[in-house]
Amino acid sequence: MTLTPSHIIEYLFCPRFTYFEYVLGIPQYEDKNYKVMRGRHLHDERLERNKDYLRRRLGRPGAPVVEKLVDQYLTNAFLRGVVDEVLAFGDESMAPLDYKFAEYKDKIFSTYQTQLYCYAWLIEDNFDRRVDRGFLVYTRSNNRVVEVPITDENKADVRRAAEAIFSIIDRNFFPKATKAKARCVTCTYRNVCIK
Amino acid sequence: MTIWVLYDIVNDKARSKAAKRCQQAGLYRVQFSCFLGTLTQNQKDTLQLQLEELINEETDKVYIFPMSRSELQQTVLLGQAFDRKLVTDEIRALFF
């Protein structure tokens, strides 16, 4: 069994989330959420449109974007996932690019960052190229592109989270809930969780 | 936050769908094309996107106004008025 970036994000939101969804198998009915479905639809549209568009401006000085790989399914020992775009630069480095059905409001949510860290890890394992940044495209803010730096520490954090998830699922372990009580207010599992 | 939704939509089908979306979001029907109720930021955003998809931008108009609770208490209601307390979720149970 391999995990997806969603598993990691949910685990970081609250370890109980992993328990309820993947040990007890209680679905969270994402497809009843209008915004989630609009976002999923967006990726199909992106694939059809502007297929050959290469984001040359995203490259560093002396290392322009030389290649774009669209809709890449990547996997390693822990993780699997589909990266919207993998950009290859002239200096042998690579970067993931992800489309978001969201508005940019002067801060990058940690969930988006985590997702890019996961992709960075996958790209390094599959292409054997260095990844030290990623990009987010905010389609509800006129397709604004935001660069996110990625360090080795970030990738190690994701790996640790993945190991923790396996330990919950493999041992049917009931973990402690998150300390951030504000998350409980909007959590899909608030009705079944022991406070 | 308290949200007013007012609209003028030409197409019959789109108009009844808009009404349905507003009611599904948990708003009260104050008048035929006027809704009021409390929504979270995310619910408001969702409703906005849903209505955006329904309307024809050339002919239709949709207004989404936020209002604070204290401002709602200052509203003037004449004739067949709605229940302010019901709209702001101050009434928790309808039967005692």
Side-chain angles (χ1 to χ4, degrees):
Chain A
M1 182 200 163
T2 49
L3 305 172
T4 65
S6 306
H7 288 85
I8 310 263
I9 291 164
E10 287 163 0
Y11 170 79
L12 293 175
F13 177 79
C14 178
R16 289 262 173 95
F17 213 101
T18 307
Y19 179 82
F20 287 126
E21 190 166 17
Y22 303 106
V23 175
L24 298 186
I26 304 169
Q28 52 161 330
Y29 297 113
E30 272 175 321
D31 44 12
K32 287 194 176 158
N33 187 321
Y34 178 80
K35 285 212 279 188
V36 169
M37 295 320 282
R38 272 289 284 271
R40 284 189 189 169
H41 203 71
L42 167 111
H43 301 264
D44 304 335
E45 275 175 24
R46 284 286 135 194
L47 275 182
E48 301 280 317
R49 236 180 273 164
N50 283 344
K51 223 170 202 165
D52 303 318
Y53 175 62
L54 203 57
R55 300 169 180 276
R56 293 183 198 283
R57 292 206 321 203
L58 291 186
R60 279 186 204 129
V65 179
V66 289
E67 203 190 351
K68 173 177 94 170
L69 301 158
V70 182
D71 217 28
Q72 290 290 301
Y73 178 83
L74 303 176
T75 179
N76 68 12
F78 288 93
L79 213 59
R80 77 193 126 92
V82 180
V83 191
D84 289 343
E85 283 179 22
V86 178
L87 305 175
F89 299 97
D91 62 354
E92 297 286 291
S93 69
M94 280 185 148
L97 182 140
D98 203 45
Y99 288 97
K100 293 288 169 207
F101 182 67
E103 289 170 276
Y104 182 65
K105 286 178 182 157
D106 294 318
K107 63 170 178 185
I108 303 167
F109 291 111
S110 64
T111 52
Y112 295 173
Q113 289 173 329
T114 307
Q115 197 177 352
L116 286 178
Y117 301 158
C118 293
Y119 291 153
W121 183 21
L122 283 172
I123 291 170
E124 286 195 343
D125 281 7
N126 280 272
F127 294 95
D128 205 19
R129 301 261 196 102
R130 205 180 146 60
V131 178
D132 55 9
R133 63 204 160 128
F135 298 95
L136 294 168
V137 182
Y138 288 82
T139 51
R140 286 179 66 194
S141 292
N142 206 10
N143 288 322
R144 190 186 163 138
V145 183
V146 178
E147 183 174 331
V148 181
I150 300 171
T151 65
D152 289 336
E153 186 54 34
N154 296 143
K155 284 168 251 177
D157 285 345
V158 170
R159 190 194 178 95
R160 269 195 291 279
E163 281 161 1
I165 293 169
F166 277 121
S167 118
I168 291 174
I169 294 177
D170 293 343
R171 297 185 295 141
N172 287 356
F173 176 71
F174 186 57
K176 278 218 158 52
T178 175
K179 285 186 181 120
K181 289 284 174 217
R183 291 178 185 171
C184 302
V185 179
T186 54
C187 177
T188 27
Y189 294 114
R190 64 183 175 278
N191 290 336
V192 289
C193 189
I194 304 161
K195 307 273 166 352
Chain B
M1 71 188 121
T2 309
I3 300 282
W4 287 93
V5 179
L6 318 172
Y7 56 77
D8 257 330
I9 295 173
V10 176
N11 185 298
D12 288 345
K13 216 169 181 178
R15 189 169 356 95
S16 49
K17 272 190 181 166
K20 204 172 166 188
R21 296 280 173 280
C22 291
Q23 281 174 326
Q24 279 172 342
L27 299 177
Y28 295 88
R29 195 165 204 164
V30 177
Q31 286 182 16
F32 271 118
S33 45
C34 172
F35 290 80
L36 173 63
T38 33
L39 295 181
T40 63
Q41 186 60 44
N42 188 27
Q43 287 171 320
K44 172 178 166 259
D45 193 41
T46 305
L47 184 63
Q48 179 200 324
L49 290 166
Q50 286 174 329
L51 294 177
E52 233 170 62
E53 210 174 35
L54 283 176
I55 63 166
N56 174 357
E57 283 192 7
E58 301 295 310
T59 55
D60 300 340
K61 17 192 185 282
V62 174
Y63 305 126
I64 301 176
F65 297 122
M67 187 192 241
S68 71
R69 190 174 285 206
S70 64
E71 280 169 330
L72 183 69
Q73 297 306 335
Q74 292 170 43
T75 47
V76 178
L77 308 173
L78 305 174
Q80 297 296 310
F82 62 85
D83 189 342
R84 284 199 197 96
K85 284 187 172 163
L86 191 72
V87 168
T88 52
D89 292 334
E90 280 172 52
I91 296 176
R92 290 269 163 218
L94 290 173
F95 303 101
F96 296 97

